[in-house]
Amino acid sequence: MGIDELDRLVEKLDLERKVRLLTGATVWSTHAEPGIGLRAMVTSDGPVGVRGEGWDERSTSLTLPSATALAATWDDDLVELLGGLLADEARRKGVDVLLAPTLNLHRSPLGGRHFECYSEDPLLTGRIGAACVRGIQAGGVAATAKHYVANDSETERLTLDARVDERTLRELYLAPFEAAVEAGVWVVMSAYNGVNGTTMSESPLLADPLKGAWGFDGVVVSDWGGVRSTVPAGRAAQDLAMPGPEGTWGEALVAAVRAGEVPEAAIDDKVRRLLRLAYRVGALDLATDPSPALPGGGEHIAREGHPERGERLEPGERDAEEGEGDGRASARTLLRRAVAASTVLLRNEGPLLPLDPSRLRRVAVLGPNAATPRIQGGGSAGVYPESVVSPLDGIREALSGTAEVLHGPGPHLDDRPTPLGTDNARDPLTGEPGVLVRLLDAAGEEIHAEHRLTGRILEPARIDAAATVEIRALLSPEVDGLWELAVAGWGHVRLEADGHVLVDEEVERDTDDPATVHLSPPYRRARFPVTAGRDVELVSRRRLDPGSGIASVLAADPPRRADEVELAAAVELARTCDVVVVVVGSTEEIENEGADRTHLELPGRQDELVRAVAAANPATVVVVNSGGPMLLPWREEVAAVLLSWFPGQEAGHGLADVLFGRAEPGGRLPTTWADRALVSTVPEDGTLTYAEGLDIGYRAWLRRPAPPAYWFGHGLGYTTWSYEDVSVPWDVSPDGPLPVRVRLRNTGERAGREVVQVYLSRPETGVTRPARWLAGYALADAGPGEVVEVTVDVPARAFRHWSAEHHAWRAEEGAFTVLAGRSAADLPLSAPVLLGTEPPTSRDLSGERSLAVL
């Protein structure tokens, strides 16, 4: 859409109407302006799914594997397809702007939100993020590159100031965002934190490089609540303040413009960008305004990538187009494929895997995560999956009619109370599975009631007169004993069981972090004796005080057997089976938005469970269900280790495909797994200094005498590979990519896929550099004994460094080394590359056919 058309629309608006557009109309939507054909745009959290407006468990979502899992595929094409799935989901739910992908780096394994970020490497993060952007926006939905920039940890994330030198900022932390802009991203989200003394919603980095050098022509939206000033943020290149309708702009920004403190030209630019975004997602109907010329439809569709005339599919229309249910089935097939493609095989002695179902009679599936896996991380990106296939479910289905599959939970893992659900509670009014939620006015009179499916009510109906939210249910206990009952919320909370008051307490809010306030209120607990088969009426009430959020939870847990008993039972079961699959993992307490981790250990007694089971049965497979690195002190004591990440709703199906050889474990590590963190996530006096510079992840471990547990890029398959040759041409354009040709052979007995990784090093340099750095990658497929050659295009940027002196990219002339292989440390092939202005002489090339000049 041309500038002239946008300018004509902006000119139709007075200052008040322009400023009104720059703050959200609601928590999730922007303002409409019917006079110029602008409807409201709806935003939604991602990236594992599209939740839609608000939190309602009745509105389910297709749930993808976590971002770490997607990066573990190293498969741009697959991620682009998954981005298209997200676009379909967004359009089904009437969403225009998806708040994904997250492009922050895994600076430290202690980062609590790693599951939502891709990797520790800027190139891998940039490529996978760009693929996600392309997939989403090809469906006419805006992707949002977030959180710009250096939001790489959660401790004090609202206020910390990240101190990052210019070169490190450019080469590491800004690089994935630059890749997203090159991919055409329509929205960028500014982070809560500051960088080098300025909070990001006021940062000059929004103007340059984002909108300046990179040419970003989209909208900069704030993280929710991230705009904290009127004049500084208004003068900055921050365009849209969310959420609304309250905020620091509005009338105050109008006054600032009239006082000359904020140029009206800055307001016009923000509005112009917002209208451009609306045009791209189909929220701007130019037909209602005869003055702007309509752009050509072909250019509009091909360049902007959204459906003809910008029309959105309403809920159910996508399935109707593809045949009833066909679209959902094909989507689940894609999600199942993604689980296998992201699963990393860390160890496979024997080899034990893949398992042959015909040789199995009894299989033990152990661990609390086996029956109730973590399919996604905690925090604002959460969705309600339309279904969940657990590892236990997937293995049972795969071995149905072949082997007996038995489950033992092992020692208890999570002490967080379990919200009531359709499996153990009924609405006392209707008898339906679930709970009754009522809103009461100040006099205690009911003003609204609705049936819900869970006792975790993050967003009840919004009614101005509501003073109290009540959750009421009939608990149907299956076992006798002292049950633990709990209520959660800020402010005054009350819990009753059969008329007995168990909790009546004032809970003071002690945090400003929105993820904690709105999603994770604290619990108050009590024990109550129940009898199996006899319903217990539970009632929780929470006063809706200003500033206390609106989340309320009613939870109940049965008495549990002692950990020693469960551990002994699991070991005995393992002893009697042909093979054991132990699923271990993290909890929401240690991998969650709003808090970093303090250690890398598996919680509870999971390490003890693994060691005891492996001692009882050597045919033990351990599946690690986490979003980021964990310590695996028993890794050399078990036959096989699989890393499943947070695998999304098709977790069990994809895992079974890998276990029984229907699919390759296609994943490779997108981040280093080590026995300790090398950098801290804890600010000192509000400042977090990135003193490590360019050396994070594998780059840092390459400078250490002892190796990490598993290197970046590591991952085994079900076949073996021999790397035979690498070659690079000498006649390469200085500004073009360097094609690196790698020949490899499948030396195993089955077809497989390999991730061919290319790194660069600079043995003699006048510029401080990492020991080596990822420069490119490609996928190779080959049958047994087959030789295949792949070309890895290394971009010219990979040879350049950022010069703080010149504030520009510079190339250092001289020799570089190209290394090719299967991880940051397993690189059997190498070739020299000469960066210079003159081609080598024939004498220089003798015996060096792999010499290149850039």
Side-chain angles (χ1 to χ4, degrees):
M1 187 177 187
I3 293 294
D4 291 343
E5 290 91 344
L6 291 171
D7 284 343
R8 280 195 285 267
L9 292 178
V10 173
E11 288 170 1
K12 291 177 175 290
L13 303 175
D14 59 25
L15 178 61
E16 285 80 3
R17 292 162 75 196
K18 287 187 288 190
V19 169
R20 179 175 174 269
L21 291 177
L22 303 182
T23 297
T26 69
V27 173
W28 300 108
S29 65
T30 63
H31 281 285
E33 188 59 62
I36 59 171
L38 175 67
R39 65 164 172 82
M41 290 181 282
V42 175
T43 67
S44 172
D45 276 318
V48 297
V50 183
R51 192 175 61 247
E53 292 185 86
W55 294 80
D56 190 330
E57 74 284 352
R58 296 166 296 185
S59 176
T60 59
S61 309
L62 288 172
T63 308
L64 281 65
S66 65
T68 42
L70 299 190
T73 68
W74 295 60
D75 190 335
D76 304 13
D77 293 339
L78 175 58
V79 172
E80 190 165 341
L81 288 176
L82 292 165
L85 187 153
L86 289 172
D88 285 348
E89 282 284 276
R91 294 172 65 202
R92 179 175 70 87
K93 292 194 171 192
V95 168
D96 302 292
V97 180
L98 183 62
L99 304 177
T102 301
L103 300 179
N104 303 114
L105 298 185
H106 295 176
R107 173 178 172 263
S108 166
L110 296 172
R113 205 173 179 179
H114 275 1
F115 55 84
E116 198 178 322
C117 310
Y118 290 119
S119 85
E120 68 187 25
D121 184 84
L123 183 136
L124 178 60
T125 296
R127 280 185 53 172
I128 295 296
C132 183
V133 167
R134 290 193 300 269
I136 293 170
Q137 294 188 170
V141 176
T144 304
K146 65 182 189 182
H147 309 85
Y148 185 90
V149 60
N151 182 188
D152 309 298
S153 55
E154 295 295 284
T155 305
E156 300 179 24
R157 66 178 180 144
L158 303 183
T159 57
L160 77 81
D161 181 36
R163 298 295 173 91
V164 195
D165 69 80
E166 185 179 341
R167 184 179 174 202
T168 297
L169 192 61
R170 287 283 189 156
E171 293 190 22
L172 290 188
Y173 300 101
L174 284 170
F177 291 93
E178 185 176 5
V181 172
E182 289 175 354
V185 73
W186 294 341
V187 181
V188 169
M189 179 186 288
S190 58
Y192 288 127
N193 58 278
V195 173
N196 296 331
T198 307
T199 191
M200 280 311 303
S201 60
E202 304 167 10
S203 175
L205 293 172
L206 299 177
D208 193 71
L210 180 59
K211 292 182 177 180
W214 298 350
F216 174 64
D217 66 354
V219 167
V220 174
V221 65
S222 70
D223 205 338
W224 267 225
V227 171
R228 301 158 179 144
S229 68
T230 300
V231 173
R235 294 179 63 90
Q238 177 73 51
D239 301 315
L240 176 62
M242 291 295 287
E246 305 301 326
T248 59
W249 283 359
E251 293 180 3
L253 185 54
V254 171
V257 173
R258 290 193 168 135
E261 298 173 304
V262 176
E264 188 165 358
I267 304 300
D268 290 348
D269 182 67
K270 300 176 197 298
V271 174
R272 191 180 298 115
R273 289 169 177 273
L274 195 71
L275 294 177
R276 183 182 292 118
L277 172 64
Y279 174 73
R280 285 168 165 167
V281 302
L284 185 61
D285 183 6
L286 297 182
T288 65
D289 178 31
S291 59
L294 285 170
E299 180 268 352
H300 174 66
I301 296 167
R303 182 173 59 83
E304 306 294 7
H306 60 71
E308 190 172 0
R309 298 185 305 280
E311 293 176 353
R312 299 181 301 159
L313 291 183
E314 296 303 322
E317 289 185 8
R318 168 64 66 181
D319 285 349
E321 281 190 355
E322 298 179 354
E324 187 63 36
D326 291 349
R328 309 305 277 179
S330 62
R332 288 191 291 272
T333 298
L334 179 61
L335 294 179
R336 180 172 181 164
R337 173 186 163 196
V339 174
S342 64
T343 299
V344 182
L345 180 58
L346 297 176
R347 175 178 170 85
N348 192 19
E349 292 301 296
L352 176 62
L353 299 178
L355 300 171
D356 183 351
S358 68
R359 296 177 178 270
L360 303 176
R361 294 296 176 264
R362 280 171 60 90
V363 175
V365 183
L366 308 177
N369 287 38
T372 310
R374 287 197 72 188
I375 68 163
Q376 60 183 319
S380 62
V383 300
Y384 297 100
E386 64 173 25
S387 61
V388 176
V389 182
S390 70
L392 180 61
D393 294 334
I395 293 170
R396 278 184 171 155
E397 182 179 325
L399 295 179
S400 177
T402 301
E404 183 182 13
V405 178
L406 304 106
H407 174 241
H412 183 61
L413 176 59
D414 194 348
D415 287 330
R416 179 171 293 198
T418 306
L420 294 177
T422 55
D423 58 337
N424 64 355
R426 290 181 289 115
D427 183 326
L429 190 63
T430 66
E432 296 175 88
V435 305
L436 172 67
V437 176
R438 301 198 307 153
L439 295 179
L440 312 177
D441 63 16
E445 296 297 319
E446 178 185 301
I447 56 177
H448 176 80
E450 62 181 346
H451 176 72
R452 300 293 291 264
L453 306 179
T454 174
R456 184 173 184 245
I457 305 299
L458 298 180
E459 284 189 347
R462 293 179 179 268
I463 299 177
D464 290 341
T468 299
V469 59
E470 176 189 274
I471 307 173
R472 186 181 292 263
L474 295 176
L475 173 67
S476 304
E478 296 182 350
V479 297
D480 297 334
L482 280 175
W483 279 57
E484 184 177 83
L485 309 178
V487 59
W490 302 99
H492 185 263
V493 296
R494 182 181 175 94
L495 172 62
E496 299 177 11
D498 281 345
H500 298 276
V501 178
L502 305 180
V503 176
D504 192 358
E505 187 176 340
E506 197 77 28
V507 181
E508 292 188 13
R509 178 175 146 183
D510 59 2
T511 178
D512 291 326
D513 194 304
T516 305
V517 171
H518 299 296
L519 303 178
S520 300
Y523 282 94
R524 295 297 182 264
R525 316 178 193 214
R527 294 187 181 276
F528 189 75
V530 306
T531 302
R534 181 180 176 277
D535 287 345
V536 179
E537 185 172 28
L538 303 180
V539 181
S540 72
R541 292 190 184 94
R542 188 177 78 81
R543 193 174 61 231
L544 294 172
D545 296 330
S548 67
I550 57 176
S552 300
V553 187
L554 177 57
D557 287 285
R560 301 184 176 96
R561 296 200 300 179
D563 281 352
E564 288 75 11
V565 175
E566 293 288 10
L567 179 60
V571 173
E572 182 56 33
L573 181 58
R575 194 173 282 119
T576 65
C577 291
D578 301 311
V579 69
V580 184
V581 179
V582 186
V583 185
V584 300
S586 65
T587 63
E588 196 161 328
E589 284 85 352
I590 64 172
E591 283 193 286
N592 195 12
E593 180 181 351
D596 289 319
R597 297 158 66 182
T598 58
H599 59 78
L600 300 178
E601 289 89 357
L602 286 166
R605 300 175 66 177
Q606 294 182 97
D607 290 334
E608 186 179 351
L609 172 67
V610 171
R611 282 186 158 133
V613 167
N617 190 330
T620 293
V621 181
V622 180
V623 179
V624 184
N625 176 204
S626 73
M630 310 294 297
L631 290 186
L632 310 177
W634 34 258
R635 63 184 182 273
E636 302 295 332
E637 303 170 31
V638 298
V641 181
L642 283 166
L643 174 54
S644 71
W645 310 102
F646 295 151
Q649 69 178 57
E650 293 299 311
H653 283 150
L655 175 62
D657 289 342
V658 169
L659 287 173
F660 303 113
R662 296 172 184 164
E664 279 278 300
R668 303 295 184 265
L669 287 180
T671 196
T672 303
W673 279 47
D675 60 359
R676 67 188 186 279
L678 298 181
V679 296
S680 172
T681 61
V682 180
E684 295 184 8
D685 297 325
T687 298
L688 186 60
T689 302
Y690 287 37
E692 71 283 353
L694 299 174
D695 287 332
I696 65 170
Y698 69 92
R699 300 172 176 211
W701 282 100
L702 286 167
R703 298 192 184 281
R704 300 276 167 163
Y710 298 107
W711 285 97
F712 173 83
H714 171 73
L716 308 174
Y718 288 157
T719 188
T720 55
W721 298 86
S722 171
Y723 281 74
E724 297 188 344
D725 186 58
V726 61
S727 61
V728 291
W730 64 266
D731 53 342
V732 178
S733 167
D735 298 320
L738 172 71
V740 177
R741 292 185 293 275
V742 181
R743 189 175 72 238
L744 63 164
R745 182 188 304 271
N746 181 344
T747 56
E749 298 179 353
R750 57 178 285 162
R753 168 171 285 195
E754 177 75 332
V755 178
V756 179
Q757 301 165 41
V758 169
Y759 296 76
L760 292 178
S761 69
R762 170 83 163 152
E764 296 182 6
T765 176
V767 178
T768 303
R769 298 179 185 273
R772 71 184 69 112
W773 59 97
L774 182 69
Y777 60 88
L779 302 178
D781 294 282
E786 185 179 351
V787 175
V788 63
E789 184 174 274
V790 298
T791 298
V792 178
D793 287 326
V794 174
R797 172 69 64 81
F799 291 90
R800 297 172 182 165
H801 64 276
W802 180 261
S803 170
E805 178 184 357
H806 299 92
H807 302 289
W809 293 97
R810 289 288 187 264
E812 186 185 25
E813 294 186 0
F816 288 75
T817 301
V818 173
L819 304 109
R822 52 199 335 268
S823 79
D826 185 1
L827 299 165
L829 301 178
S830 65
V833 173
L834 184 63
L835 193 67
T837 57
E838 296 294 334
T841 65
S842 58
R843 186 182 63 178
D844 293 330
L845 288 172
S846 61
E848 289 286 359
R849 68 182 177 84
S850 296
L851 183 65
V853 173
L854 298 185

